[in-house]
Amino acid sequence: RSDGDLSGTSFEALMLLSRVYEDLCVRFLELHETEQAAVSPAQLQALITKAIKCFETVLKNLPASEQVARHAGTMSRAAQIVESVLRLKVMGLGDSEYSVLVDAVEELLLHAASASETTSSLQRAISQTRGVRQLQPRAETRAVAEAALRPVSSTVSLEVPEKLMELFEEVAKEALINHIPPSSWFDRMVHVVAAGFAGPPVPGDPTYLATIQMLELCRFFGNA
């Protein structure tokens, strides 16, 4: 069927299948981390890919009424789908991609002390990292960067922060209007981060912005 040509029943069935795949990914990762089940990275990645494909098919066929939030302070269904896709993409980050992100956050940390402007995201990540009271020498900064990327404490509310709600809506709009799937948006951000900083990291720089967005996503989603 062409885009926008799914029947109501088919649409809801595909949405349900997407959620089932997403839940399986989360459960498999939990079992793998507790060594209750052996799930190979290839198996998990294949399942993540299927889940993302389902979600993005739903997004392409989303009725206009589902593309905008119905109430203030809530997300549209399109943004909720984006949230799920980005959660899955964070879950599927490879070691090389994660290392690139740590490199970028480390670079931000090294310049944060002397910078007149430091984004609230970076300030919050530093303040919430246990034992970090000020920037450490270079030898220790990587460990701080890795700690900053870890998810926030489980005691913190999992309610979606307003900044991320806005990001999910923006990515959804880009998908619906410009036909750029959320997974492609995420891959593009990883590519921008991997390209590195052309000079000292400053707010407004594309790599700075991409790094902060990835930092926010990783801290919110953790490993899923």
Side-chain angles (χ1 to χ4, degrees):
R1 286 178 177 269
S2 60
D3 292 354
D5 196 30
L6 285 176
S7 68
T9 302
S10 297
F11 177 86
E12 293 301 334
L14 188 57
M15 187 66 190
L16 177 60
L17 180 61
S18 303
R19 295 296 184 195
V20 169
Y21 274 137
E22 181 182 20
D23 290 343
L24 281 173
C25 290
V26 174
R27 184 58 178 156
F28 280 173
L29 191 60
E30 289 174 346
L31 291 173
H32 179 71
E33 289 178 342
T34 58
E35 299 183 349
Q36 294 182 39
V39 181
S40 72
Q43 289 174 316
L44 180 60
Q45 196 62 53
L47 192 57
I48 288 173
T49 299
K50 287 182 180 180
I52 289 173
K53 184 176 181 179
C54 285
F55 273 122
E56 293 185 338
T57 299
V58 170
L59 186 60
K60 286 191 297 184
N61 290 275
L62 200 64
S65 60
E66 303 283 0
Q67 296 177 16
V68 295
R70 296 182 179 180
H71 306 287
T74 64
M75 291 194 297
S76 66
R77 195 170 192 183
Q80 292 171 12
I81 292 172
V82 168
E83 179 184 1
S84 290
V85 172
L86 297 186
R87 174 185 291 108
L88 289 161
K89 291 294 288 184
V90 169
M91 190 189 307
L93 274 175
D95 291 342
S96 60
E97 294 169 317
Y98 184 75
S99 180
V100 162
L101 184 54
V102 173
D103 288 343
V105 173
E106 181 181 8
E107 195 70 19
L108 291 185
L109 290 170
L110 287 169
H111 288 82
S114 59
S116 58
E117 291 183 71
T118 302
T119 66
S120 58
S121 301
L122 188 57
Q123 290 173 340
R124 186 164 56 253
I126 294 172
S127 66
Q128 291 176 345
T129 301
R130 292 182 180 180
V132 178
R133 299 188 181 281
Q134 59 184 5
L135 292 179
Q136 306 298 314
R138 181 70 191 240
E140 300 177 22
T141 308
R142 190 167 188 84
V144 177
E146 291 173 344
L149 282 165
R150 293 184 191 125
V152 295
S153 170
S154 59
T155 59
V156 178
S157 171
L158 292 179
E159 182 179 347
V160 182
E162 184 177 353
K163 181 176 290 188
L164 281 183
M165 289 178 65
E166 293 173 355
L167 176 62
F168 297 154
E169 294 287 1
E170 289 173 7
V171 175
K173 186 179 295 184
E174 190 166 2
L176 294 166
I177 297 176
N178 298 323
H179 309 294
I180 299 175
S183 59
S184 296
W185 175 89
F186 185 94
D187 293 340
R188 186 178 66 197
M189 291 301 101
V190 172
H191 179 75
V192 171
V193 172
F197 297 97
V202 292
D205 177 85
T207 303
Y208 190 106
L209 177 60
T211 302
I212 292 299
Q213 288 176 329
M214 294 294 289
L215 173 65
E216 291 275 16
L217 290 171
C218 286
R219 287 179 59 75
F220 180 66
F221 292 131
N223 288 327

